[in-house]
Amino acid sequence: MSGDLRPDLDSQQPSLTPPSTPGTGHLTPPGAVGTAQIDDPASLKKAGNNANELAGRLNADGKHAEDDTAHAVKALKGEHWHGALGSTLDAVLDTWSRQTASLVRKCRDIHSKCTATADNYTRTERENTAVFSTTTKQSPFG
């Protein structure tokens, strides 16, 4: 097998070419997908808080699985077991631990970015409203 993806899966891979902002020809910053429109900062903050809650559950559940697997590893590496299953399971446990920790970090990062964006948006809108409410309305039309 060459390691290539099946054609139906290959089409699901992200493009490595940075997208341009429609109509401008300018490249979109790395990691961005076009322009963002925040219609409801409270929903964005809620999504961030949900990501943080998920991180906590993943961390707790992941550690529970680690504890159970570590117990099995110990039993399968004991003096009455001469197979490689214990060592193999130990490697799987290491992979599980690293991937769980990575997922927890990503969820916490999502929380941080969503809540910071919502807070920044709300603060900026409040400041803009204050600035515009104190500006005198001068119009050539009276």
Side-chain angles (χ1 to χ4, degrees):
M1 180 175 226
S2 68
D4 291 336
L5 293 174
R6 294 188 335 239
D8 60 317
L9 294 178
D10 190 39
S11 66
Q12 297 175 16
Q13 295 300 309
S15 170
L16 298 178
T17 305
S20 63
T21 304
T24 67
H26 295 104
L27 291 180
T28 303
V33 185
T35 57
Q37 178 66 36
I38 300 175
D39 294 322
D40 185 7
S43 292
L44 186 59
K45 196 165 194 164
K46 182 178 179 182
N49 289 334
N50 287 344
N52 196 44
E53 181 182 328
L54 179 60
R57 290 195 330 250
L58 284 168
N59 193 41
D61 293 347
K63 290 207 183 302
H64 178 71
E66 285 178 26
D67 293 343
D68 290 345
T69 306
H71 180 71
V73 165
K74 185 177 178 182
L76 293 172
K77 281 185 164 180
E79 64 184 59
H80 301 293
W81 187 268
H82 301 289
L85 187 56
S87 298
T88 302
L89 194 54
D90 200 16
V92 169
L93 175 59
D94 181 58
T95 300
W96 172 269
S97 299
R98 285 184 285 111
Q99 289 181 345
T100 301
S102 176
L103 186 56
V104 167
R105 280 191 306 274
K106 287 182 189 313
C107 285
R108 289 187 175 144
D109 188 47
I110 289 169
H111 164 259
S112 225
K113 290 178 180 177
C114 284
T115 55
T117 299
D119 291 343
N120 290 339
Y121 175 85
T122 301
R123 185 188 72 249
T124 302
E125 285 297 306
R126 189 174 37 250
E127 290 169 359
N128 288 343
T129 300
V131 166
F132 283 108
S133 67
T134 60
T135 305
T136 58
K137 297 180 183 177
Q138 296 178 355
S139 170
F141 304 107

